[in-house]
Amino acid sequence: MKKSLVLLLVCLVLVPLLSSPPVLAQTATLPTLPTPGATGVASLGVIPQPPSDITAQSYILVDFDSGLPIAALDPDVEREPASLTKLMTAYVVFGEIKAGKIALDDTVTISERAWRTGMQGASRMFIEVGEQVRVEDLLRGMIVQSGNDASTALAELVAGSEGAFVDLMNAQARVLGMNRSYFTNPHGLPSDEAQYTTPADMARLARALIRDFPDSYGYYSEKSFEYSDIEQSNRNLLLWRDESFDGLKTGWTSAAGYNLVSSAKRNGRRLIAVVMGIDAPNHQRGGIMRANESQALINWGMRFFESRKLFEGGTVLSEPRVYKGESTTVPAGLAQAFWVVLPQGQGDQLEASMELHGPHMAPLAEGDALGEVVVTLRGEVLARQPLVALESVDAGGMFRWLWDSSALALRSAWPF
């Protein structure tokens, strides 16, 4: 009884010293970084800049696995999407198929609106009013032939009207983080209301489409499709040039210029390139230029860079001290996997450190920041990511509060 009274008195004397607890930064040891795998490329002393002959007004090159950009020029500038819009139309339709709401063998009765949409532009599937067309044929007509009529028919099937489908498109864009994109129709033809996107948003959409619908992605590698005895070729010339390219979509209007979202996979690694706003004197030249520039970007990225996952998300990297809580420690780690993109052959020069901020006071919620993980390459910071609580810690009782308050007061006066 006497010992408890003495402890209580000590706590009451020391607690006032804690009006401003010290903020401490500690460097902790991290698990050893993964051993670099064989890349087939020697360590490079000089990494060249992206190809200098790119004429696209905006572009981005993205590593698929990590989502990290490798190179970019004005990637967030809003531009008219043209037929790149059909990537979002496909994403919404694929989602309905995956959810079991529609099936590939379902038939669609072609409306006059869908038929008239096809008549407005050069890209159409040649479907007729009142015709019964399978969903899978409409998908091929939209993806391979870039049919504006097929896009409208699919939109009407999914949402009942083109306008309602556009609402779904824009809602899905927000979910995917495409915050600089706005669609006004499912096909990309010019409209009275402005529609826009960015290379970064299109890369984000392409990555989501490949990731979320791997079974449907194969349509984008089809070189041609025949419907109603009319065979049309895919406008993505890269499908004929290089077997590593397997998508995605071309686009053009007089205002948008020549656009292309492309993707290639080599030796288990995938890159996505988006080029927008290429100016050319005619369609033949424009098609060649967007293919050339996309291929140049992906070749450059494959040759000179690699990506590596250093730490898994959700893995416990540290268990820092927690004060005034039901538990005295909290498991700390990364909310998401930690990826880096770095020059080929330089993985053995990566170093990682963990900086713990503190002291950490309960209550703590899962996801609260506790510090950060910093990765450097040859002494320069390459990437950093927050270190967060992987579990919540509730506040402790009065005894724990008094005891830890005393410990913190002593730590403030005599750091240990």
Side-chain angles (χ1 to χ4, degrees), residues 67-86:
L68 295 173
I70 302 173
L73 172 67
D74 293 333
D76 295 317
V77 171
E78 296 170 358
R79 306 192 62 84
E80 188 173 322
S83 280
L84 301 188
T85 298
K86 296 182 176 83

mmCIF file with all atom_site columns, all heavy atoms in Angstrom, residues 67-86:
data_model
loop_
_atom_site.group_PDB
_atom_site.id
_atom_site.type_symbol
_atom_site.label_atom_id
_atom_site.label_alt_id
_atom_site.label_comp_id
_atom_site.label_asym_id
_atom_site.label_entity_id
_atom_site.label_seq_id
_atom_site.pdbx_PDB_ins_code
_atom_site.Cartn_x
_atom_site.Cartn_y
_atom_site.Cartn_z
_atom_site.occupancy
_atom_site.B_iso_or_equiv
_atom_site.pdbx_formal_charge
_atom_site.auth_seq_id
_atom_site.auth_comp_id
_atom_site.auth_asym_id
_atom_site.auth_atom_id
_atom_site.pdbx_PDB_model_num
ATOM 1   N N   . GLY A 1 67 ? 3.015   0.721  -61.290 1.00 0.00 ? 67 GLY A N   1
ATOM 2   C CA  . GLY A 1 67 ? 2.255   1.921  -61.606 1.00 0.00 ? 67 GLY A CA  1
ATOM 3   C C   . GLY A 1 67 ? 3.096   3.175  -61.605 1.00 0.00 ? 67 GLY A C   1
ATOM 4   O O   . GLY A 1 67 ? 2.571   4.281  -61.778 1.00 0.00 ? 67 GLY A O   1
ATOM 5   N N   . LEU A 1 68 ? 4.413   3.039  -61.449 1.00 0.00 ? 68 LEU A N   1
ATOM 6   C CA  . LEU A 1 68 ? 5.300   4.198  -61.378 1.00 0.00 ? 68 LEU A CA  1
ATOM 7   C C   . LEU A 1 68 ? 5.661   4.698  -62.770 1.00 0.00 ? 68 LEU A C   1
ATOM 8   O O   . LEU A 1 68 ? 5.907   3.896  -63.684 1.00 0.00 ? 68 LEU A O   1
ATOM 9   C CB  . LEU A 1 68 ? 6.578   3.839  -60.611 1.00 0.00 ? 68 LEU A CB  1
ATOM 10  C CG  . LEU A 1 68 ? 6.411   3.486  -59.141 1.00 0.00 ? 68 LEU A CG  1
ATOM 11  C CD1 . LEU A 1 68 ? 7.736   2.985  -58.565 1.00 0.00 ? 68 LEU A CD1 1
ATOM 12  C CD2 . LEU A 1 68 ? 5.907   4.691  -58.350 1.00 0.00 ? 68 LEU A CD2 1
ATOM 13  N N   . PRO A 1 69 ? 5.721   6.014  -62.955 1.00 0.00 ? 69 PRO A N   1
ATOM 14  C CA  . PRO A 1 69 ? 6.132   6.563  -64.249 1.00 0.00 ? 69 PRO A CA  1
ATOM 15  C C   . PRO A 1 69 ? 7.636   6.439  -64.440 1.00 0.00 ? 69 PRO A C   1
ATOM 16  O O   . PRO A 1 69 ? 8.416   6.579  -63.499 1.00 0.00 ? 69 PRO A O   1
ATOM 17  C CB  . PRO A 1 69 ? 5.700   8.028  -64.159 1.00 0.00 ? 69 PRO A CB  1
ATOM 18  C CG  . PRO A 1 69 ? 5.739   8.337  -62.691 1.00 0.00 ? 69 PRO A CG  1
ATOM 19  C CD  . PRO A 1 69 ? 5.349   7.067  -61.988 1.00 0.00 ? 69 PRO A CD  1
ATOM 20  N N   . ILE A 1 70 ? 8.045   6.179  -65.673 1.00 0.00 ? 70 ILE A N   1
ATOM 21  C CA  . ILE A 1 70 ? 9.455   6.118  -66.027 1.00 0.00 ? 70 ILE A CA  1
ATOM 22  C C   . ILE A 1 70 ? 9.872   7.386  -66.759 1.00 0.00 ? 70 ILE A C   1
ATOM 23  O O   . ILE A 1 70 ? 10.974  7.893  -66.572 1.00 0.00 ? 70 ILE A O   1
ATOM 24  C CB  . ILE A 1 70 ? 9.741   4.871  -66.889 1.00 0.00 ? 70 ILE A CB  1
ATOM 25  C CG1 . ILE A 1 70 ? 9.335   3.600  -66.121 1.00 0.00 ? 70 ILE A CG1 1
ATOM 26  C CG2 . ILE A 1 70 ? 11.208  4.801  -67.294 1.00 0.00 ? 70 ILE A CG2 1
ATOM 27  C CD1 . ILE A 1 70 ? 9.431   2.342  -66.951 1.00 0.00 ? 70 ILE A CD1 1
ATOM 28  N N   . ALA A 1 71 ? 8.976   7.890  -67.595 1.00 0.00 ? 71 ALA A N   1
ATOM 29  C CA  . ALA A 1 71 ? 9.225   9.138  -68.321 1.00 0.00 ? 71 ALA A CA  1
ATOM 30  C C   . ALA A 1 71 ? 7.888   9.786  -68.626 1.00 0.00 ? 71 ALA A C   1
ATOM 31  O O   . ALA A 1 71 ? 6.865   9.109  -68.742 1.00 0.00 ? 71 ALA A O   1
ATOM 32  C CB  . ALA A 1 71 ? 9.997   8.874  -69.607 1.00 0.00 ? 71 ALA A CB  1
ATOM 33  N N   . ALA A 1 72 ? 7.890   11.108 -68.745 1.00 0.00 ? 72 ALA A N   1
ATOM 34  C CA  . ALA A 1 72 ? 6.635   11.813 -69.020 1.00 0.00 ? 72 ALA A CA  1
ATOM 35  C C   . ALA A 1 72 ? 6.920   13.207 -69.544 1.00 0.00 ? 72 ALA A C   1
ATOM 36  O O   . ALA A 1 72 ? 7.955   13.812 -69.230 1.00 0.00 ? 72 ALA A O   1
ATOM 37  C CB  . ALA A 1 72 ? 5.779   11.902 -67.766 1.00 0.00 ? 72 ALA A CB  1
ATOM 38  N N   . LEU A 1 73 ? 5.982   13.698 -70.345 1.00 0.00 ? 73 LEU A N   1
ATOM 39  C CA  . LEU A 1 73 ? 5.975   15.091 -70.802 1.00 0.00 ? 73 LEU A CA  1
ATOM 40  C C   . LEU A 1 73 ? 4.553   15.607 -70.658 1.00 0.00 ? 73 LEU A C   1
ATOM 41  O O   . LEU A 1 73 ? 3.639   15.089 -71.306 1.00 0.00 ? 73 LEU A O   1
ATOM 42  C CB  . LEU A 1 73 ? 6.427   15.186 -72.263 1.00 0.00 ? 73 LEU A CB  1
ATOM 43  C CG  . LEU A 1 73 ? 6.291   16.567 -72.918 1.00 0.00 ? 73 LEU A CG  1
ATOM 44  C CD1 . LEU A 1 73 ? 7.262   17.556 -72.271 1.00 0.00 ? 73 LEU A CD1 1
ATOM 45  C CD2 . LEU A 1 73 ? 6.532   16.481 -74.421 1.00 0.00 ? 73 LEU A CD2 1
ATOM 46  N N   . ASP A 1 74 ? 4.359   16.570 -69.793 1.00 0.00 ? 74 ASP A N   1
ATOM 47  C CA  . ASP A 1 74 ? 3.037   17.144 -69.535 1.00 0.00 ? 74 ASP A CA  1
ATOM 48  C C   . ASP A 1 74 ? 1.963   16.061 -69.391 1.00 0.00 ? 74 ASP A C   1
ATOM 49  O O   . ASP A 1 74 ? 0.927   16.092 -70.074 1.00 0.00 ? 74 ASP A O   1
ATOM 50  C CB  . ASP A 1 74 ? 2.646   18.102 -70.672 1.00 0.00 ? 74 ASP A CB  1
ATOM 51  C CG  . ASP A 1 74 ? 3.526   19.334 -70.715 1.00 0.00 ? 74 ASP A CG  1
ATOM 52  O OD1 . ASP A 1 74 ? 4.058   19.715 -69.646 1.00 0.00 ? 74 ASP A OD1 1
ATOM 53  O OD2 . ASP A 1 74 ? 3.691   19.918 -71.800 1.00 0.00 ? 74 ASP A OD2 1
ATOM 54  N N   . PRO A 1 75 ? 2.166   15.095 -68.495 1.00 0.00 ? 75 PRO A N   1
ATOM 55  C CA  . PRO A 1 75 ? 1.233   13.963 -68.398 1.00 0.00 ? 75 PRO A CA  1
ATOM 56  C C   . PRO A 1 75 ? -0.126  14.318 -67.813 1.00 0.00 ? 75 PRO A C   1
ATOM 57  O O   . PRO A 1 75 ? -1.074  13.534 -67.951 1.00 0.00 ? 75 PRO A O   1
ATOM 58  C CB  . PRO A 1 75 ? 1.974   12.988 -67.485 1.00 0.00 ? 75 PRO A CB  1
ATOM 59  C CG  . PRO A 1 75 ? 2.821   13.877 -66.611 1.00 0.00 ? 75 PRO A CG  1
ATOM 60  C CD  . PRO A 1 75 ? 3.264   14.981 -67.520 1.00 0.00 ? 75 PRO A CD  1
ATOM 61  N N   . ASP A 1 76 ? -0.239  15.485 -67.178 1.00 0.00 ? 76 ASP A N   1
ATOM 62  C CA  . ASP A 1 76 ? -1.511  15.873 -66.559 1.00 0.00 ? 76 ASP A CA  1
ATOM 63  C C   . ASP A 1 76 ? -2.232  16.977 -67.318 1.00 0.00 ? 76 ASP A C   1
ATOM 64  O O   . ASP A 1 76 ? -3.207  17.543 -66.823 1.00 0.00 ? 76 ASP A O   1
ATOM 65  C CB  . ASP A 1 76 ? -1.271  16.313 -65.106 1.00 0.00 ? 76 ASP A CB  1
ATOM 66  C CG  . ASP A 1 76 ? -0.764  15.177 -64.231 1.00 0.00 ? 76 ASP A CG  1
ATOM 67  O OD1 . ASP A 1 76 ? -1.306  14.057 -64.359 1.00 0.00 ? 76 ASP A OD1 1
ATOM 68  O OD2 . ASP A 1 76 ? 0.167   15.399 -63.442 1.00 0.00 ? 76 ASP A OD2 1
ATOM 69  N N   . VAL A 1 77 ? -1.766  17.281 -68.514 1.00 0.00 ? 77 VAL A N   1
ATOM 70  C CA  . VAL A 1 77 ? -2.442  18.286 -69.351 1.00 0.00 ? 77 VAL A CA  1
ATOM 71  C C   . VAL A 1 77 ? -3.679  17.646 -69.966 1.00 0.00 ? 77 VAL A C   1
ATOM 72  O O   . VAL A 1 77 ? -3.621  16.563 -70.551 1.00 0.00 ? 77 VAL A O   1
ATOM 73  C CB  . VAL A 1 77 ? -1.506  18.813 -70.446 1.00 0.00 ? 77 VAL A CB  1
ATOM 74  C CG1 . VAL A 1 77 ? -2.279  19.681 -71.441 1.00 0.00 ? 77 VAL A CG1 1
ATOM 75  C CG2 . VAL A 1 77 ? -0.375  19.614 -69.818 1.00 0.00 ? 77 VAL A CG2 1
ATOM 76  N N   . GLU A 1 78 ? -4.821  18.319 -69.819 1.00 0.00 ? 78 GLU A N   1
ATOM 77  C CA  . GLU A 1 78 ? -6.082  17.771 -70.324 1.00 0.00 ? 78 GLU A CA  1
ATOM 78  C C   . GLU A 1 78 ? -6.157  17.907 -71.838 1.00 0.00 ? 78 GLU A C   1
ATOM 79  O O   . GLU A 1 78 ? -5.925  18.984 -72.387 1.00 0.00 ? 78 GLU A O   1
ATOM 80  C CB  . GLU A 1 78 ? -7.261  18.475 -69.654 1.00 0.00 ? 78 GLU A CB  1
ATOM 81  C CG  . GLU A 1 78 ? -7.315  18.228 -68.147 1.00 0.00 ? 78 GLU A CG  1
ATOM 82  C CD  . GLU A 1 78 ? -8.317  19.095 -67.430 1.00 0.00 ? 78 GLU A CD  1
ATOM 83  O OE1 . GLU A 1 78 ? -8.959  19.937 -68.092 1.00 0.00 ? 78 GLU A OE1 1
ATOM 84  O OE2 . GLU A 1 78 ? -8.453  18.940 -66.206 1.00 0.00 ? 78 GLU A OE2 1
ATOM 85  N N   . ARG A 1 79 ? -6.494  16.769 -72.489 1.00 0.00 ? 79 ARG A N   1
ATOM 86  C CA  . ARG A 1 79 ? -6.565  16.736 -73.938 1.00 0.00 ? 79 ARG A CA  1
ATOM 87  C C   . ARG A 1 79 ? -7.819  15.961 -74.358 1.00 0.00 ? 79 ARG A C   1
ATOM 88  O O   . ARG A 1 79 ? -8.334  15.135 -73.602 1.00 0.00 ? 79 ARG A O   1
ATOM 89  C CB  . ARG A 1 79 ? -5.324  16.066 -74.533 1.00 0.00 ? 79 ARG A CB  1
ATOM 90  C CG  . ARG A 1 79 ? -4.003  16.678 -74.060 1.00 0.00 ? 79 ARG A CG  1
ATOM 91  C CD  . ARG A 1 79 ? -2.858  16.166 -74.886 1.00 0.00 ? 79 ARG A CD  1
ATOM 92  N NE  . ARG A 1 79 ? -3.025  16.546 -76.281 1.00 0.00 ? 79 ARG A NE  1
ATOM 93  C CZ  . ARG A 1 79 ? -2.665  17.712 -76.782 1.00 0.00 ? 79 ARG A CZ  1
ATOM 94  N NH1 . ARG A 1 79 ? -2.123  18.646 -75.999 1.00 0.00 ? 79 ARG A NH1 1
ATOM 95  N NH2 . ARG A 1 79 ? -2.837  17.975 -78.050 1.00 0.00 ? 79 ARG A NH2 1
ATOM 96  N N   . GLU A 1 80 ? -8.278  16.206 -75.563 1.00 0.00 ? 80 GLU A N   1
ATOM 97  C CA  . GLU A 1 80 ? -9.449  15.494 -76.074 1.00 0.00 ? 80 GLU A CA  1
ATOM 98  C C   . GLU A 1 80 ? -9.096  14.025 -76.299 1.00 0.00 ? 80 GLU A C   1
ATOM 99  O O   . GLU A 1 80 ? -8.086  13.712 -76.942 1.00 0.00 ? 80 GLU A O   1
ATOM 100 C CB  . GLU A 1 80 ? -9.909  16.142 -77.381 1.00 0.00 ? 80 GLU A CB  1
ATOM 101 C CG  . GLU A 1 80 ? -11.233 15.604 -77.887 1.00 0.00 ? 80 GLU A CG  1
ATOM 102 C CD  . GLU A 1 80 ? -11.740 16.380 -79.098 1.00 0.00 ? 80 GLU A CD  1
ATOM 103 O OE1 . GLU A 1 80 ? -11.561 17.618 -79.121 1.00 0.00 ? 80 GLU A OE1 1
ATOM 104 O OE2 . GLU A 1 80 ? -12.308 15.739 -80.003 1.00 0.00 ? 80 GLU A OE2 1
ATOM 105 N N   . PRO A 1 81 ? -9.909  13.092 -75.811 1.00 0.00 ? 81 PRO A N   1
ATOM 106 C CA  . PRO A 1 81 ? -9.541  11.678 -75.865 1.00 0.00 ? 81 PRO A CA  1
ATOM 107 C C   . PRO A 1 81 ? -9.779  11.000 -77.202 1.00 0.00 ? 81 PRO A C   1
ATOM 108 O O   . PRO A 1 81 ? -9.136  9.999  -77.506 1.00 0.00 ? 81 PRO A O   1
ATOM 109 C CB  . PRO A 1 81 ? -10.414 11.045 -74.787 1.00 0.00 ? 81 PRO A CB  1
ATOM 110 C CG  . PRO A 1 81 ? -11.620 11.915 -74.723 1.00 0.00 ? 81 PRO A CG  1
ATOM 111 C CD  . PRO A 1 81 ? -11.116 13.316 -74.996 1.00 0.00 ? 81 PRO A CD  1
ATOM 112 N N   . ALA A 1 82 ? -10.728 11.507 -78.010 1.00 0.00 ? 82 ALA A N   1
ATOM 113 C CA  . ALA A 1 82 ? -11.128 10.814 -79.245 1.00 0.00 ? 82 ALA A CA  1
ATOM 114 C C   . ALA A 1 82 ? -11.504 9.370  -78.889 1.00 0.00 ? 82 ALA A C   1
ATOM 115 O O   . ALA A 1 82 ? -12.124 9.133  -77.856 1.00 0.00 ? 82 ALA A O   1
ATOM 116 C CB  . ALA A 1 82 ? -10.027 10.906 -80.296 1.00 0.00 ? 82 ALA A CB  1
ATOM 117 N N   . SER A 1 83 ? -11.095 8.403  -79.703 1.00 0.00 ? 83 SER A N   1
ATOM 118 C CA  . SER A 1 83 ? -11.535 7.017  -79.489 1.00 0.00 ? 83 SER A CA  1
ATOM 119 C C   . SER A 1 83 ? -10.866 6.323  -78.311 1.00 0.00 ? 83 SER A C   1
ATOM 120 O O   . SER A 1 83 ? -11.216 5.182  -77.987 1.00 0.00 ? 83 SER A O   1
ATOM 121 C CB  . SER A 1 83 ? -11.307 6.191  -80.764 1.00 0.00 ? 83 SER A CB  1
ATOM 122 O OG  . SER A 1 83 ? -12.333 6.433  -81.699 1.00 0.00 ? 83 SER A OG  1
ATOM 123 N N   . LEU A 1 84 ? -9.917  6.979  -77.645 1.00 0.00 ? 84 LEU A N   1
ATOM 124 C CA  . LEU A 1 84 ? -9.406  6.410  -76.395 1.00 0.00 ? 84 LEU A CA  1
ATOM 125 C C   . LEU A 1 84 ? -10.535 6.280  -75.381 1.00 0.00 ? 84 LEU A C   1
ATOM 126 O O   . LEU A 1 84 ? -10.450 5.495  -74.436 1.00 0.00 ? 84 LEU A O   1
ATOM 127 C CB  . LEU A 1 84 ? -8.290  7.280  -75.819 1.00 0.00 ? 84 LEU A CB  1
ATOM 128 C CG  . LEU A 1 84 ? -7.053  7.515  -76.689 1.00 0.00 ? 84 LEU A CG  1
ATOM 129 C CD1 . LEU A 1 84 ? -5.980  8.237  -75.880 1.00 0.00 ? 84 LEU A CD1 1
ATOM 130 C CD2 . LEU A 1 84 ? -6.516  6.225  -77.265 1.00 0.00 ? 84 LEU A CD2 1
ATOM 131 N N   . THR A 1 85 ? -11.605 7.046  -75.582 1.00 0.00 ? 85 THR A N   1
ATOM 132 C CA  . THR A 1 85 ? -12.799 6.954  -74.744 1.00 0.00 ? 85 THR A CA  1
ATOM 133 C C   . THR A 1 85 ? -13.306 5.522  -74.667 1.00 0.00 ? 85 THR A C   1
ATOM 134 O O   . THR A 1 85 ? -13.838 5.083  -73.636 1.00 0.00 ? 85 THR A O   1
ATOM 135 C CB  . THR A 1 85 ? -13.905 7.860  -75.326 1.00 0.00 ? 85 THR A CB  1
ATOM 136 O OG1 . THR A 1 85 ? -13.453 9.205  -75.313 1.00 0.00 ? 85 THR A OG1 1
ATOM 137 C CG2 . THR A 1 85 ? -15.196 7.746  -74.550 1.00 0.00 ? 85 THR A CG2 1
ATOM 138 N N   . LYS A 1 86 ? -13.139 4.766  -75.741 1.00 0.00 ? 86 LYS A N   1
ATOM 139 C CA  . LYS A 1 86 ? -13.668 3.404  -75.799 1.00 0.00 ? 86 LYS A CA  1
ATOM 140 C C   . LYS A 1 86 ? -12.995 2.475  -74.789 1.00 0.00 ? 86 LYS A C   1
ATOM 141 O O   . LYS A 1 86 ? -13.528 1.401  -74.476 1.00 0.00 ? 86 LYS A O   1
ATOM 142 C CB  . LYS A 1 86 ? -13.531 2.849  -77.212 1.00 0.00 ? 86 LYS A CB  1
ATOM 143 C CG  . LYS A 1 86 ? -14.367 3.609  -78.254 1.00 0.00 ? 86 LYS A CG  1
ATOM 144 C CD  . LYS A 1 86 ? -14.220 2.988  -79.634 1.00 0.00 ? 86 LYS A CD  1
ATOM 145 C CE  . LYS A 1 86 ? -15.123 3.676  -80.670 1.00 0.00 ? 86 LYS A CE  1
ATOM 146 N NZ  . LYS A 1 86 ? -14.526 4.898  -81.217 1.00 0.00 ? 86 LYS A NZ  1
#
